[in-house]
Amino acid sequence: MKKILKILLTSTICCLLMANVVLAKEDPATMLTNETENSTLFESAEETFSSEVFDTLEETEWSSVTETDIDNESEQTEFDLPSTADISEEVETLTVEELEPRAAAPIITLSKTEQIIPKTASQDLVNQGIILYKITVTANVIDSSTGRAYANKPIIFGFNTNSKVKLVGSDTSTNSNGIAKAYYEVRGTTKFTVTAKCPNVTKTLDITPAESCSYESSFYITAYIIALESDYSSSEKVEASGISDYKFRKKFLDAVKLNGSGYSSDNSFYIRYNSSTGKYEKKDPVTATGTTPTVNRTIAVDNYYIPRYNTTKQYGCVDITNIGKRKAEDAGGGISGYHIDVFVGNGTAKVNSFAYSNQYKSVKYLGNNKTW
């Protein structure tokens, strides 16, 4: 009789121990930690059942059970009390996510944190007179339940379909402060929508680039003039290819070739150098865009970096540190890359008095075709 009761007792203890494992999932500190505790639990229960239950049951319905029945039942059923090691192993297999409370949904804040005209880009800096901007978008992600940084979590950046926008780089996870960044190239002031997903929460931000924007790179500054023949009065006179019946100071012709145009004080008219034909022409000064070079307005630029596009008349306007606002109206054979040649007037005296030649200056793009 006691064998059957012990079987029942063993089953009960097993249930208690398995309940202990379940509790460990909520708080591992509650788990029984050594076999002595398990053994004590078993012995205590057996003693209680022996003194208070066994005798009572023997005198009631169990009295009809034969010894043969008990032996057969005992041989068919075996219950082993699990050891503390078995239970510990079960708890150790629990993952961090099972033991820790599930994190609340994150709160994502998106903001445009920087806009520049980049030093290097994946595409032309100027295309058909339209400038390229690079915009940095920053995601700040926090846990909504704690207000703490949502650190080291995967994040995916994107944008709405737009042919003038390109995602050129982004973080794939938040940092220890819950911060992640993405970088977009945008042609002109095209409005677009940024998306950020972390991990199952999506946030959007509408962005319209500001037209006025600083270049990431500084520009090398030089100055040019309309040459004056009177500055070269000691030079010998020679003929100019393309202009017959007149002679000009040789060094004056060299200066015209360098600057594009000049005023012949000996002959009282302007001449220009045509770089495509290699000849001089009896014509008034004119810029590459067809305007008259004007002090405090005209600059010569490389149109890959600052817009100067005659087809749609897109002429970039910039603000040069210490020099002021200027308009991209001219070009020059020696003007390439981050180089601006500033028109300063007539004669070498104007170049000599220009304080910013051969210096690098910060430049801010103001937009195209501005007036001031």
Coordinates of all heavy atoms in Angstrom, one line a residue, residues 28-71:
P28 N 14.9 33.8 -11.4 CA 15.8 32.7 -11.2 C 16.2 32.5 -9.7 O 16.5 31.4 -9.3 CB 17.0 33.0 -12.0 CG 16.4 33.9 -13.1 CD 15.4 34.7 -12.4
A29 N 16.1 33.6 -8.9 CA 16.5 33.5 -7.5 C 15.6 32.6 -6.7 O 16.0 32.2 -5.6 CB 16.6 34.9 -6.9
T30 N 14.4 32.4 -7.2 CA 13.4 31.6 -6.4 C 13.6 30.1 -6.6 O 13.0 29.3 -5.9 CB 12.0 31.9 -6.9 OG1 11.8 31.5 -8.2 CG2 11.7 33.4 -6.7
M31 N 14.5 29.6 -7.5 CA 14.7 28.2 -7.7 C 15.4 27.5 -6.6 O 16.3 28.1 -6.0 CB 15.5 28.0 -9.0 CG 15.6 26.6 -9.5 SD 16.6 26.4 -10.9 CE 18.2 26.8 -10.2
L32 N 15.0 26.3 -6.3 CA 15.8 25.5 -5.3 C 17.2 25.3 -5.8 O 17.4 24.9 -6.9 CB 15.1 24.2 -5.0 CG 13.7 24.3 -4.4 CD1 13.1 22.9 -4.2 CD2 13.7 25.1 -3.1
T33 N 18.2 25.6 -5.0 CA 19.5 25.6 -5.5 C 20.4 24.5 -5.1 O 21.6 24.4 -5.6 CB 20.2 26.9 -5.0 OG1 20.2 26.9 -3.6 CG2 19.5 28.1 -5.5
N34 N 20.0 23.5 -4.3 CA 20.8 22.3 -4.1 C 20.0 21.1 -3.8 O 18.8 21.2 -3.5 CB 21.8 22.6 -2.9 CG 21.1 23.0 -1.7 OD1 20.4 22.2 -1.1 ND2 21.2 24.3 -1.2
E35 N 20.7 20.0 -3.9 CA 20.0 18.7 -3.7 C 19.5 18.5 -2.3 O 18.6 17.7 -2.0 CB 20.9 17.6 -4.2 CG 21.1 17.6 -5.7 CD 21.6 16.3 -6.2 OE1 21.5 15.3 -5.4 OE2 22.0 16.2 -7.4
T36 N 20.2 19.1 -1.3 CA 19.7 19.0 0.1 C 18.3 19.5 0.3 O 17.5 18.9 0.9 CB 20.7 19.8 1.0 OG1 22.0 19.2 0.8 CG2 20.3 19.6 2.4
E37 N 18.0 20.7 -0.4 CA 16.7 21.2 -0.3 C 15.7 20.3 -0.9 O 14.6 20.1 -0.4 CB 16.7 22.6 -1.0 CG 17.4 23.6 -0.2 CD 17.4 25.0 -1.0 OE1 17.2 25.0 -2.2 OE2 17.7 26.0 -0.3
N38 N 16.0 19.7 -2.1 CA 15.1 18.8 -2.8 C 14.9 17.5 -1.9 O 13.7 17.1 -1.7 CB 15.7 18.3 -4.1 CG 15.6 19.3 -5.1 OD1 14.8 20.2 -5.0 ND2 16.5 19.2 -6.2
S39 N 15.9 17.0 -1.3 CA 15.8 15.8 -0.4 C 15.0 16.1 0.8 O 14.1 15.4 1.2 CB 17.2 15.4 0.0 OG 17.1 14.3 0.8
T40 N 15.2 17.3 1.4 CA 14.4 17.7 2.6 C 13.0 17.8 2.2 O 12.1 17.4 3.0 CB 15.0 19.1 3.1 OG1 16.3 19.0 3.4 CG2 14.2 19.5 4.3
L41 N 12.7 18.4 1.1 CA 11.3 18.5 0.6 C 10.6 17.2 0.5 O 9.5 16.9 1.0 CB 11.2 19.3 -0.7 CG 9.8 19.4 -1.4 CD1 8.9 20.2 -0.5 CD2 10.0 20.0 -2.8
F42 N 11.3 16.2 -0.1 CA 10.8 14.9 -0.3 C 10.6 14.1 1.1 O 9.5 13.6 1.4 CB 11.7 14.0 -1.1 CG 11.2 12.7 -1.5 CD1 10.4 12.5 -2.6 CD2 11.5 11.6 -0.7 CE1 9.9 11.2 -2.9 CE2 11.0 10.3 -1.0 CZ 10.2 10.2 -2.1
E43 N 11.6 14.2 2.0 CA 11.5 13.5 3.2 C 10.4 14.1 4.1 O 9.7 13.4 4.8 CB 12.9 13.6 3.9 CG 14.0 12.8 3.2 CD 15.3 13.0 3.9 OE1 15.4 13.8 4.8 OE2 16.3 12.4 3.4
S44 N 10.3 15.4 4.1 CA 9.3 16.1 4.9 C 7.9 15.6 4.4 O 7.0 15.3 5.2 CB 9.4 17.6 4.8 OG 8.3 18.2 5.5
A45 N 7.7 15.6 3.1 CA 6.4 15.2 2.6 C 6.1 13.7 2.9 O 5.0 13.3 3.3 CB 6.3 15.4 1.1
E46 N 7.1 12.9 2.8 CA 6.9 11.4 3.1 C 6.6 11.2 4.5 O 5.7 10.4 4.8 CB 8.2 10.7 2.7 CG 8.0 9.1 2.9 CD 9.3 8.4 2.5 OE1 10.4 9.0 2.6 OE2 9.2 7.2 2.1
E47 N 7.3 11.9 5.4 CA 7.0 11.8 6.8 C 5.6 12.2 7.2 O 4.9 11.5 7.9 CB 8.0 12.6 7.6 CG 7.8 12.5 9.1 CD 8.8 13.3 9.9 OE1 9.7 13.9 9.2 OE2 8.7 13.4 11.1
T48 N 5.1 13.3 6.5 CA 3.8 13.7 6.8 C 2.7 12.7 6.3 O 1.8 12.4 7.0 CB 3.5 15.1 6.0 OG1 4.5 16.0 6.5 CG2 2.1 15.6 6.3
F49 N 3.0 12.2 5.0 CA 2.1 11.2 4.5 C 2.1 10.0 5.4 O 1.0 9.3 5.6 CB 2.4 10.9 3.1 CG 1.7 11.8 2.1 CD1 2.1 13.1 1.9 CD2 0.7 11.3 1.3 CE1 1.5 14.0 1.0 CE2 0.0 12.2 0.4 CZ 0.4 13.5 0.3
S50 N 3.3 9.6 5.9 CA 3.4 8.3 6.6 C 2.6 8.4 7.9 O 1.9 7.5 8.3 CB 4.8 8.0 6.9 OG 5.5 7.8 5.7
S51 N 2.7 9.5 8.6 CA 2.1 9.7 10.0 C 0.7 10.0 10.0 O -0.1 9.6 10.9 CB 2.9 10.7 10.7 OG 2.8 12.0 10.1
E52 N 0.2 10.7 8.9 CA -1.2 11.2 9.0 C -2.1 10.6 7.9 O -3.3 10.7 8.0 CB -1.2 12.7 8.8 CG -0.4 13.4 10.0 CD -0.5 14.9 9.8 OE1 -1.1 15.4 8.9 OE2 0.2 15.6 10.6
V53 N -1.5 10.1 6.8 CA -2.3 9.7 5.7 C -2.3 8.2 5.5 O -3.3 7.6 5.2 CB -1.9 10.4 4.4 CG1 -2.8 10.0 3.2 CG2 -2.0 11.9 4.6
F54 N -1.1 7.6 5.5 CA -0.9 6.2 5.2 C -1.9 5.3 6.0 O -2.6 4.5 5.4 CB 0.5 5.8 5.4 CG 1.5 6.3 4.3 CD1 1.1 7.3 3.4 CD2 2.8 5.7 4.2 CE1 2.0 7.7 2.5 CE2 3.6 6.2 3.3 CZ 3.3 7.2 2.4
D55 N -1.9 5.5 7.3 CA -2.7 4.6 8.2 C -4.1 4.8 7.9 O -4.9 3.8 7.9 CB -2.4 5.0 9.6 CG -1.0 4.6 10.0 OD1 -0.4 3.8 9.3 OD2 -0.5 5.2 11.0
T56 N -4.6 6.0 7.6 CA -6.0 6.2 7.3 C -6.4 5.6 6.1 O -7.4 4.9 6.0 CB -6.3 7.7 7.2 OG1 -5.9 8.4 8.4 CG2 -7.7 8.0 6.9
L57 N -5.6 5.7 5.0 CA -5.9 5.1 3.7 C -5.9 3.6 3.8 O -6.7 2.9 3.1 CB -5.0 5.6 2.7 CG -5.1 7.1 2.3 CD1 -4.0 7.5 1.3 CD2 -6.5 7.4 1.7
E58 N -5.0 3.0 4.6 CA -5.0 1.6 4.7 C -6.3 1.0 5.3 O -6.7 -0.1 5.0 CB -3.8 1.1 5.6 CG -2.5 1.2 4.8 CD -1.3 0.7 5.7 OE1 -1.5 0.6 6.9 OE2 -0.3 0.5 5.1
E59 N -7.0 1.8 6.1 CA -8.2 1.3 6.7 C -9.4 1.5 5.9 O -10.5 1.1 6.2 CB -8.4 2.0 8.1 CG -7.3 1.7 9.1 CD -7.4 2.5 10.3 OE1 -8.3 3.4 10.4 OE2 -6.6 2.4 11.2
T60 N -9.3 2.2 4.7 CA -10.4 2.5 3.9 C -10.3 1.8 2.6 O -10.0 0.6 2.5 CB -10.5 4.1 3.7 OG1 -9.3 4.5 3.1 CG2 -10.8 4.8 5.0
E61 N -10.6 2.5 1.5 CA -10.7 1.9 0.2 C -9.5 1.1 -0.3 O -9.6 0.2 -1.1 CB -11.1 2.9 -0.9 CG -10.1 4.0 -1.2 CD -10.3 5.2 -0.3 OE1 -10.9 5.0 0.7 OE2 -9.8 6.3 -0.7
W62 N -8.3 1.5 0.2 CA -7.1 0.8 -0.2 C -7.0 -0.6 0.4 O -6.1 -1.4 0.0 CB -5.9 1.6 0.1 CG -5.8 2.9 -0.6 CD1 -6.1 4.1 -0.2 CD2 -5.4 3.1 -2.0 NE1 -6.0 5.1 -1.2 CE2 -5.5 4.4 -2.3 CE3 -5.0 2.2 -3.0 CZ2 -5.2 4.9 -3.6 CZ3 -4.7 2.7 -4.2 CH2 -4.8 4.0 -4.5
S63 N -7.8 -0.9 1.4 CA -7.7 -2.2 2.0 C -8.1 -3.4 1.1 O -7.7 -4.5 1.4 CB -8.6 -2.3 3.3 OG -9.9 -2.0 2.9
S64 N -8.8 -3.1 0.0 CA -9.2 -4.1 -0.9 C -8.1 -4.4 -1.9 O -8.2 -5.4 -2.7 CB -10.5 -3.7 -1.6 OG -10.2 -2.5 -2.3
V65 N -7.1 -3.7 -1.9 CA -6.0 -3.9 -2.9 C -5.1 -5.0 -2.4 O -4.6 -4.9 -1.3 CB -5.2 -2.6 -3.2 CG1 -4.1 -2.9 -4.2 CG2 -6.1 -1.5 -3.6
T66 N -4.8 -6.0 -3.2 CA -3.9 -7.1 -2.8 C -2.5 -6.7 -3.0 O -2.1 -5.8 -3.7 CB -4.2 -8.3 -3.7 OG1 -3.8 -8.0 -5.0 CG2 -5.7 -8.6 -3.7
E67 N -1.7 -7.5 -2.3 CA -0.2 -7.3 -2.4 C 0.3 -7.5 -3.8 O 1.2 -6.9 -4.2 CB 0.5 -8.3 -1.4 CG 2.0 -8.0 -1.2 CD 2.1 -6.7 -0.4 OE1 1.2 -6.3 0.3 OE2 3.2 -6.0 -0.6
T68 N -0.3 -8.5 -4.5 CA 0.1 -8.7 -5.9 C -0.2 -7.5 -6.8 O 0.6 -7.2 -7.6 CB -0.7 -10.0 -6.4 OG1 -0.4 -11.1 -5.6 CG2 -0.3 -10.2 -7.9
D69 N -1.3 -6.9 -6.5 CA -1.6 -5.7 -7.3 C -0.6 -4.6 -7.1 O -0.2 -3.9 -8.0 CB -3.0 -5.2 -6.9 CG -4.1 -6.1 -7.3 OD1 -3.9 -6.8 -8.3 OD2 -5.2 -6.1 -6.7
I70 N -0.2 -4.5 -5.8 CA 0.8 -3.4 -5.5 C 2.1 -3.7 -6.2 O 2.7 -2.8 -6.8 CB 0.9 -3.3 -4.0 CG1 -0.4 -2.9 -3.3 CG2 2.1 -2.4 -3.6 CD1 -0.3 -2.9 -1.8
D71 N 2.5 -5.0 -6.1 CA 3.8 -5.3 -6.7 C 3.8 -5.1 -8.2 O 4.8 -4.6 -8.8 CB 4.2 -6.8 -6.4 CG 4.5 -7.0 -4.9 OD1 4.8 -6.0 -4.3 OD2 4.4 -8.2 -4.5

